[in-house]
Amino acid sequence: MQTALAQGFFSFNHRSPEFGQCVQETVHHLKNKLSVPGDYEVFFVSSATECWEIIAQSLVQYRCLHVFNGAFGEKWWKNTRQLKAAPELIQGFTFAPEACPELPILKAKMPPHTELIALTHNETSNGTALPEGFLWELRQAFPEVLLALDATSSMAGVALPWAAGDLWFASVQKCFGLPAGLALMLASPRAMARAEAIGEKRHYNSLLALAAQARAFQTTHTPNMLGIYLLGQVMQAVAPIAQIDSLLRQRASEGYAFFEKQDFVQPLIQNPEVRSDTVLALRTREELLAKIKEEARNKNIILGNGYGDWKNTTFRVANFPAITKPEFELLQDFMVNFKK
Ligand SMILES: *Cc1c(COP(=O)(O)O)cnc(C)c1O
């Protein structure tokens, strides 16, 4: 922020050449560090929730299928239903948190003419993630259907199989380690071709309107300029995603192994195949939860609350890139010494 101030960045307007260059550089560093395919387009919006709305508006004419096992995926489904004139065509497919969605059942239940499948890559509410192998199988099973993935709590933390999906989005306050108020959406050429074919232009944030501006390194409205600047700086500074990915996976597996050894806290999800590497959901006895959180807070450790169905019996630990090794050690130390 001090560099931005020294460069006079705060005085640039959003149509200025200086800001256009900032957008261009941010996109460049982002695609480079996260290994995004060259032909995917990047759009800056305000939040992951806005991406839910853009996808419903601009890429679903009639029918889509939401596949979920937790609160964020369900919210997205409800949001799409509210936006559509025929909500009964916006179907939900739920699956158990301990396993991947079963492809044969999904195939059998998928309504004909489904245009898009909406998935939560990393379900922040219960600490599950969709394995890469499943996403490739899905891609192969439904080559004509657009796949949209909410990667809010995994993008910039783990390496994503970009080509297995058509739309990927995330807000920056999770794995990017940035202040809230900015999100990005990445779209494949197939997704853009579908948007063209549908031709939806009724909203300020219609995908085609975003694209027309983004191709000139601009935005439809005055965006979170400082957020975009900071994202560019952070993407320039961080290690390539392959390195961050292996560090986080290693730390997650050590974290799960550590918690499995405790007697009063256990991982919520038993199946390692579907456990998230970026959000560790941990289960404890209801009567201990408040005490754990309070004593952690006294030691300057902020534990995430449980969410949705798991509010009273779980807490969550963020395994985001900005969190350091000593901070993780502090947490383990606290757990070992916790008096029940
Ligand atoms: C945090 C989160 C959201 C909401 O993000 P906003 O920036 O508040 O819109 C959506 N989906 C998932 C999976 C999340 O973790």
Side-chain angles (χ1 to χ4, degrees), residues 120-124 127-130 150-154 276-279:
T120 308
H121 178 253
N122 196 79
E123 178 50 75
T124 321
T128 60
L130 294 170
D150 181 342
T152 302
S153 52
S154 51
S276 166
D277 288 306
T278 51
V279 178

Side-chain angles (χ1 to χ4, degrees), residues 38-336:
D39 56 3
Y40 275 50
E41 293 189 56
V42 179
F43 306 109
F44 295 109
V45 293
S46 68
S47 64
T49 307
E50 188 185 0
C51 296
W52 295 350
E53 186 158 328
I54 294 169
I55 291 169
Q57 284 169 183
S58 297
L59 291 162
V60 178
Q61 276 185 295
Y62 308 106
R63 286 168 205 273
C64 70
L65 181 68
H66 284 250
V67 177
F68 55 89
N69 73 3
F72 282 101
E74 185 177 10
K75 265 194 186 172
W76 184 7
W77 176 51
K78 288 187 174 156
N79 187 275
T80 307
R81 287 170 71 96
Q82 278 171 352
L83 288 167
K84 289 299 180 187
E88 67 281 6
L89 302 183
I90 310 305
Q91 302 255 313
F93 179 92
T94 55
F95 63 101
E98 286 289 347
C100 273
E102 290 204 42
L103 221 46
I105 304 180
L106 189 64
K107 263 187 165 159
K109 290 216 171 149
M110 193 157 94
H113 311 296
T114 294
E115 304 160 68
L116 179 143
I117 301 178
L119 302 133
T120 308
H121 178 253
N122 196 79
E123 178 50 75
T124 321
S125 70
N126 58 20
T128 60
L130 294 170
E132 186 170 334
F134 169 76
L135 295 177
W136 288 115
E137 282 175 25
L138 195 66
R139 169 85 295 165
Q140 276 178 353
F142 305 109
E144 306 302 321
V145 181
L146 292 183
L147 301 183
L149 290 118
D150 181 342
T152 302
S153 52
S154 51
M155 190 186 294
V158 295
L160 298 174
W162 298 108
D166 295 294
L167 295 138
W168 294 87
F169 57 88
S171 33
V172 299
Q173 72 270 20
K174 295 179 186 168
C175 287
F176 285 93
L178 285 161
L182 178 70
L184 44 140
M185 182 158 73
L186 295 96
S188 71
R190 280 159 40 97
M192 296 316 298
R194 181 74 60 83
E196 292 287 347
I198 294 173
E200 188 281 308
K201 290 181 182 167
R202 282 173 302 160
H203 305 270
Y204 85 97
N205 59 0
S206 295
L207 190 55
L208 292 178
L210 297 180
Q213 294 293 339
R215 286 166 193 165
F217 302 108
Q218 297 227 354
T219 48
T220 49
H221 57 290
T222 312
N224 181 345
M225 294 170 65
L226 180 60
I228 294 172
Y229 176 89
L230 295 176
L231 176 63
Q233 296 292 310
V234 165
M235 284 293 107
Q236 194 172 351
V238 293
I241 190 67
Q243 272 177 46
I244 293 178
D245 176 281
S246 69
L247 190 142
L248 289 196
R249 283 183 200 273
Q250 172 77 21
R251 198 161 67 180
S253 82
E254 285 167 12
Y256 284 121
F258 169 82
F259 284 109
E260 275 171 344
K261 279 189 280 180
Q262 309 308 310
D263 55 357
F264 65 105
V265 181
Q266 283 291 310
L268 172 66
I269 303 299
Q270 306 299 309
N271 178 2
E273 294 285 303
V274 295
R275 271 180 188 161
S276 166
D277 288 306
T278 51
V279 178
L280 280 56
L282 301 161
R283 187 164 47 87
T284 186
R285 296 201 297 277
E286 195 162 346
E287 68 277 11
L288 278 182
L289 187 63
K291 188 165 183 251
I292 294 173
K293 279 195 282 196
E294 190 192 317
E295 289 189 17
R297 199 160 40 238
N298 294 339
K299 295 242 165 13
N300 261 333
I301 300 168
I302 304 169
L303 296 173
N305 292 324
Y307 200 98
D309 294 346
W310 294 279
K311 200 174 175 57
N312 296 324
T313 49
T314 65
F315 59 94
R316 293 173 299 162
V317 172
N319 183 25
F320 294 165
I323 293 167
T324 62
K325 193 160 179 255
E327 286 168 335
F328 251 84
E329 287 163 359
L330 185 72
L331 175 66
Q332 299 199 347
D333 212 47
F334 164 75
M335 288 291 167
V336 168

